[in-house]
């Protein structure tokens, strides 16, 4: 069998409702890697946050983090890093926003947030990844892979409109969830990062399976030969990915179910 590359988003896709890896998912992914297939995790999460899941799986995995801003190999070597231009980062940090909207920065080795926000820690409980509170006037403008605004969707839409009016194509603007507006440097997304990685490891896009659930996965899913999106996906995914296959719910380990069927693996007891 031709070795395949399997690339998956995490939250809403590979992880369950508790933001943890299901036992069956761990078993399937380990089995496929041991059979000679390649595995990539591609997420909006920070690299330090994603590394916990890689270590739990305990097989060689490339990591695409911060929506494509960073790519690391299985030995923790940084293969690629793309930062928001300092002037643009400074403008985004100072962009007017309601008090209810939180501003976060994903730096190379840290997560800064403008005020305490316990709800932002809930999805990271399984990894222990935590923020540092830094007032906006003390936030750096250099070395930023991703800038996030977290809040009510109706407020984020207004912020998104302001950003798009001024940035042209010099920033990549997307959502990982309806309440997380995420900005990277122009041309930075999971699809571009995956394309560069495939060339590096000599794997053709048509030999890839990909899984995702939200708008920040569209470029990645559009690149590969076997794209899949979850039944719990953003409602626009089906219209943007006419060639993709819809599969089950992330809370029911649907990626593992599909992979067992696709590769003829026995069902676990």
């Amino acid at each position: 069998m031709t070795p395949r590359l399997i690339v998956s988003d995490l939250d809403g896709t590979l992880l369950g409702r508790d933001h943890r890896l299901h036992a069956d998912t761990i078993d399937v992914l380990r089995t496929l890697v041991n059979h000679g297939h390649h595995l990539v995790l591609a997420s909006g999460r920070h690299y330090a946050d994603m590394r916990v899941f890689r270590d739990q799986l305990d097989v060689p995995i490339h990591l695409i983090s911060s929506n494509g801003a960073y790519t690391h190999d299985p030995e923790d070597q940084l293969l690629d890093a793309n930062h928001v231009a300092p002037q643009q980062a400074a403008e985004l940090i100072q962009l007017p926003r309601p008090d209810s909207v939180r501003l976060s920065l994903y730096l190379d080795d840290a997560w800064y947030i403008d005020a305490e926000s316990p709800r932002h820690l809930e999805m990271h409980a399984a990894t222990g990844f935590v923020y540092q509170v830094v007032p906006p006037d003390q936030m750096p403008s250099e070395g930023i892979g991703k800038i996030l605004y977290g809040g009510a969707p109706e407020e984020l839409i207004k912020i998104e409109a302001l950003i798009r009016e001024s940035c042209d194509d010099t920033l990549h603007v997307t959502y990982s969830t309806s309440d997380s507006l995420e900005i990277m440097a122009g041309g930075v997304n999971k699809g571009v990062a995956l394309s560069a990685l495939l060339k590096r490891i000599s794997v053709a896009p048509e030999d890839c399976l990909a899984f995702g659930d939200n708008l920040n996965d569209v470029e990645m899913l559009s690149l590969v030969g076997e794209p899949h999106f979850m039944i719990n996906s953003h409602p626009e995914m089906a219209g943007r990915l006419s060639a993709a296959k819809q599969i089950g719910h992330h809370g029911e380990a649907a990626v593992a179910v599909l992979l067992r069927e696709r590769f003829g693996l026995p069902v676990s007891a």
Side-chain angles (χ1 to χ4, degrees):
M1 178 182 291
T2 301
R4 303 293 179 179
L5 185 142
I6 299 145
V7 55
S8 182
D9 172 51
L10 288 174
D11 299 283
T13 303
L14 197 67
L15 304 182
R17 294 182 178 90
D18 58 358
H19 300 286
R20 298 173 187 267
L21 288 167
H22 189 279
D24 194 42
T25 302
I26 295 172
D27 178 60
V28 167
L29 295 180
R30 285 178 178 170
T31 299
L32 290 173
V33 172
N34 290 333
H35 285 180
H37 300 291
H38 308 283
L39 183 60
V40 178
L41 299 180
S43 174
R45 287 185 182 236
H46 193 282
Y47 167 68
D49 201 16
M50 296 180 66
R51 193 169 52 192
V52 175
F53 299 110
R54 182 205 64 191
D55 293 347
Q56 185 179 2
L57 286 163
D58 195 27
V59 291
I61 303 173
H62 282 83
L63 299 181
I64 294 172
S65 59
S66 297
N67 287 331
Y70 304 95
T71 301
H72 287 79
D73 73 7
E75 287 74 44
D76 286 330
Q77 179 180 351
L78 178 64
L79 302 179
D80 201 8
N82 298 276
H83 297 121
V84 178
Q87 181 177 349
Q88 289 181 312
E91 292 172 356
L92 291 170
I93 290 168
Q94 297 303 323
L95 191 72
R97 60 188 180 277
D99 292 339
S100 60
V101 173
R102 298 275 59 78
L103 168 69
S104 289
L105 309 181
Y106 274 14
L107 308 173
D108 294 353
D109 57 1
W111 169 17
Y112 289 173
I113 195 169
D114 62 346
E116 290 286 354
S117 182
R119 74 176 185 84
H120 277 82
L121 296 175
E122 293 175 1
M123 68 179 291
H124 306 284
T127 66
F129 185 57
V130 296
Y131 54 64
Q132 300 175 50
V133 176
V134 178
D137 60 1
Q138 297 178 28
M139 285 182 168
S141 60
E142 297 185 350
I144 300 170
K146 185 175 78 166
I147 297 174
L148 306 82
Y149 299 93
E154 59 270 23
E155 297 293 351
L156 298 185
I157 289 173
K158 299 173 186 176
I159 295 173
E160 178 190 5
L162 290 175
I163 295 171
R164 290 191 183 279
E165 285 175 6
S166 60
C167 77
D168 297 321
D169 294 326
T170 58
L171 293 171
H172 183 76
V173 183
T174 190
Y175 288 84
S176 63
T177 61
S178 62
D179 59 359
S180 185
L181 174 63
E182 310 195 348
I183 299 94
M184 287 70 61
V188 173
N189 59 66
K190 294 182 185 182
V192 170
L194 178 61
S195 180
L197 177 59
L198 293 179
K199 292 177 182 177
R200 183 184 290 269
I201 63 177
S202 300
V203 175
E206 57 265 28
D207 291 332
C208 299
L209 293 81
F211 302 87
D213 76 302
N214 222 301
L215 300 181
N216 62 334
D217 297 313
V218 169
E219 294 87 359
M220 176 178 78
L221 295 174
S222 300
L223 173 68
V224 305
E226 298 182 46
H228 307 79
F229 64 100
M230 317 304 291
I231 197 170
N232 53 276
S233 290
H234 188 286
E236 292 183 17
M237 293 291 276
R240 297 195 185 195
L241 299 163
S242 58
K245 176 182 179 180
Q246 185 181 73
I247 64 172
H249 199 283
H250 77 108
E252 298 171 354
V255 172
V257 172
L258 184 285
L259 290 173
R260 280 197 186 278
E261 178 182 349
R262 168 67 176 76
F263 291 98
L265 303 180
V267 178
S268 58

